């Protein structure tokens, strides 16, 4: 399978276009806005629905290439690959495949999603169910001739499947899988931990050491970062960087120091989306 290639730089960008949420999303305008802000990544927000058809995705592909913007997609929130009801698992797989198809038509590299919920079950039992669904997902993608990276996301609540160990294990066991590392979610799901260089170093070492070398994960990283509000139950909501305690400058310096390449997406609230993404970019550039 010919999966998308490696990156030689870290591309920073937004989750959705700055004005997304409007009835009509104007990609020409939005991508030009990103380019003007010095940004070079965009995550298509298919979280409620896949709002592009294959033809419009092909036009977005051309526009993004012209502006030097690298695309990923976030599949629908309504996914649970460990549901006790089999039809819901199949529907979840179909939703991810649909997002991946349109993403591929848009020339994108990775489809991101929240894989599952524990629903009170032991983590290893849920892992087995998720792995079974990943087999179904990989074969459905192969059958549809879709070759993009499949990225289960590091999730923000301890009730959600998707801690670093689970994502590393899936990346080891499935050819097309690599993690989406959401630093804010990790900070939230651990109620305030993972906010220091030492902890991030340990995480990056675990990822690098735990995923087969041929996948070149440090040249294919896909990450999320934004301000976040959290409590004992984990993530509450995303916040502007200025209102949150996340040590983003230190993290951006570390990513630069370690030469991590790929894409980093800012999921700040709409009002501060462009400004916060530029803050991340500036912290990285000035490091
Ligand atoms: Zn997400």
């Amino acid at each position: 399978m010919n999966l998308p290639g490696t990156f030689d730089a870290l591309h920073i960008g937004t989750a959705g276009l700055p004005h997304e949420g409007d009835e009509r999303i104007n990609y020409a305008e939005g991508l030009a806005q990103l380019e003007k802000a010095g940004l070079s990544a965009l995550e298509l927000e298919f979280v409620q629905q896949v709002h592009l058809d294959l033809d419009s995705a092909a036009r977005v592909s051309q526009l993004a290439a012209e502006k030097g913007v690298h695309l990923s997609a976030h599949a629908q929130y309504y996914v649970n690959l460990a549901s006790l009801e089999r039809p819901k698992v199949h529907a979840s797989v179909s939703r991810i495949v649909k997002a991946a198809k349109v993403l591929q038509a848009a020339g994108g590299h990775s489809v991101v999603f929240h894989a599952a919920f524990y629903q009170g079950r032991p983590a290893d039992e849920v892992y087995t169910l998720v792995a079974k669904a990943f087999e179904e997902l990989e074969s459905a993608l192969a059958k549809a001739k879709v070759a993009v990276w499949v990225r289960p996301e590091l999730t923000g609540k301890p009730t959600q499947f998707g801690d670093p160990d689970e994502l590393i294990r899936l990346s080891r066991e499935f050819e097309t899988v690599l993690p989406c590392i959401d630093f804010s979610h990790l900070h939230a799901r651990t109620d305030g931990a993972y906010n220091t260089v030492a902890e991030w170093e340990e995480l990056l070492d675990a990822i690098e050491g735990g995923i087969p070398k041929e996948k070149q994960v440090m040249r294919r990283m896909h990450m999320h970062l934004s301000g976040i509000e959290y409590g004992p139950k984990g993530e509450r909501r995303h916040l502007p960087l200025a209102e949150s305690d996340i040590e983003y400058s230190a993290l951006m310096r570390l990513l630069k120091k370690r030469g991590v390449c790929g894409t980093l997406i800012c999921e700040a609230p709409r009002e501060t989306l462009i400004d916060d993404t530029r803050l991340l970019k500036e912290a990285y550039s000035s490091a």
Side-chain angles (χ1 to χ4, degrees), residues 112-190:
V112 174
F113 53 93
H114 308 171
F117 294 90
Y118 296 118
Q119 297 170 294
R121 296 165 291 179
D124 57 344
E125 190 183 315
V126 173
Y127 184 90
T128 305
L129 292 170
V130 169
K132 204 169 155 217
F134 267 65
E135 277 174 29
E136 186 181 329
L137 175 59
E138 271 201 338
S139 63
L141 288 169
K143 203 170 151 204
K145 296 196 162 44
V146 176
V148 296
W149 292 102
V150 169
R151 306 261 188 180
E153 180 173 337
L154 207 175
T155 47
K157 291 180 184 171
T159 51
Q160 286 174 295
F161 174 91
D163 71 11
D165 289 343
E166 288 163 339
L167 303 186
I168 291 167
R169 188 171 165 198
L170 286 168
S171 304
R172 225 175 18 240
E173 293 177 0
F174 291 90
E175 191 193 347
T176 64
V177 173
L178 281 174
C180 168
I181 299 298
D182 190 316
F183 292 101
S184 311
H185 280 169
L186 183 58
H187 180 49
R189 80 180 276 142
T190 56

Side-chain angles (χ1 to χ4, degrees), residues 3-286:
L3 286 153
T6 56
F7 290 90
D8 295 324
L10 183 64
H11 295 278
I12 298 169
T14 56
L17 292 170
H19 58 284
E20 197 166 315
D22 297 355
E23 201 49 39
R24 286 153 53 93
I25 296 161
N26 183 336
Y27 278 91
E29 224 171 77
L31 287 162
Q33 210 176 337
L34 287 180
E35 188 195 33
K36 207 174 141 210
L39 303 172
S40 52
L42 171 67
E43 192 144 288
L44 304 170
E45 292 289 90
F46 296 156
V47 296
Q48 308 297 342
Q49 56 176 352
V50 178
H51 59 251
L52 290 172
D53 58 23
L54 291 173
D55 289 339
S56 34
R59 283 194 294 278
V60 170
S61 170
Q62 206 180 344
L63 287 166
E66 280 168 19
K67 302 293 182 199
V69 174
H70 300 272
L71 301 178
S72 51
H74 197 306
Q76 277 167 283
Y77 288 136
Y78 196 68
V79 160
N80 185 2
L81 296 175
S83 174
L84 292 166
E85 298 160 64
R86 290 303 293 168
K88 286 193 179 165
V89 175
H90 300 313
S92 296
V93 168
S94 304
R95 288 192 181 98
I96 298 167
V97 171
K98 189 176 178 196
K101 259 188 204 167
V102 172
L103 172 76
Q104 176 165 273
H109 57 88
S110 298
V111 63
V112 174
F113 53 93
H114 308 171
F117 294 90
Y118 296 118
Q119 297 170 294
R121 296 165 291 179
D124 57 344
E125 190 183 315
V126 173
Y127 184 90
T128 305
L129 292 170
V130 169
K132 204 169 155 217
F134 267 65
E135 277 174 29
E136 186 181 329
L137 175 59
E138 271 201 338
S139 63
L141 288 169
K143 203 170 151 204
K145 296 196 162 44
V146 176
V148 296
W149 292 102
V150 169
R151 306 261 188 180
E153 180 173 337
L154 207 175
T155 47
K157 291 180 184 171
T159 51
Q160 286 174 295
F161 174 91
D163 71 11
D165 289 343
E166 288 163 339
L167 303 186
I168 291 167
R169 188 171 165 198
L170 286 168
S171 304
R172 225 175 18 240
E173 293 177 0
F174 291 90
E175 191 193 347
T176 64
V177 173
L178 281 174
C180 168
I181 299 298
D182 190 316
F183 292 101
S184 311
H185 280 169
L186 183 58
H187 180 49
R189 80 180 276 142
T190 56
D191 195 11
Y194 286 93
N195 204 19
T196 63
V197 168
E199 290 163 303
W200 294 318
E201 290 262 33
E202 183 198 302
L203 169 70
L204 293 170
D205 287 344
I207 294 166
E208 198 166 16
I211 296 177
K213 281 208 166 19
E214 57 271 22
K215 279 189 166 170
Q216 301 189 69
V217 61
M218 288 300 151
R219 295 185 63 201
R220 283 192 168 105
M221 279 287 269
H222 184 64
M223 299 165 281
H224 287 173
L225 178 59
S226 65
I228 198 155
E229 184 184 305
Y230 56 88
K233 289 179 180 166
E235 170 188 26
R236 287 200 190 117
R237 62 190 174 111
H238 289 151
L239 288 177
L241 282 173
E243 291 171 31
S244 86
D245 67 352
I246 195 119
E247 296 288 349
Y248 68 91
S249 294
L251 176 55
M252 296 311 289
R253 273 198 300 277
L254 177 65
L255 294 177
K256 191 160 187 181
K257 188 187 122 199
R258 288 183 67 125
V260 175
C261 295
T263 38
L264 182 137
I265 297 295
C266 179
E267 291 184 312
R270 205 55 51 195
E271 311 79 63
T272 58
L273 182 58
I274 272 278
D275 290 344
D276 278 4
T277 312
R278 288 169 88 163
L279 281 179
L280 297 179
K281 169 89 187 181
E282 278 158 26
Y284 185 79
S285 302
S286 66

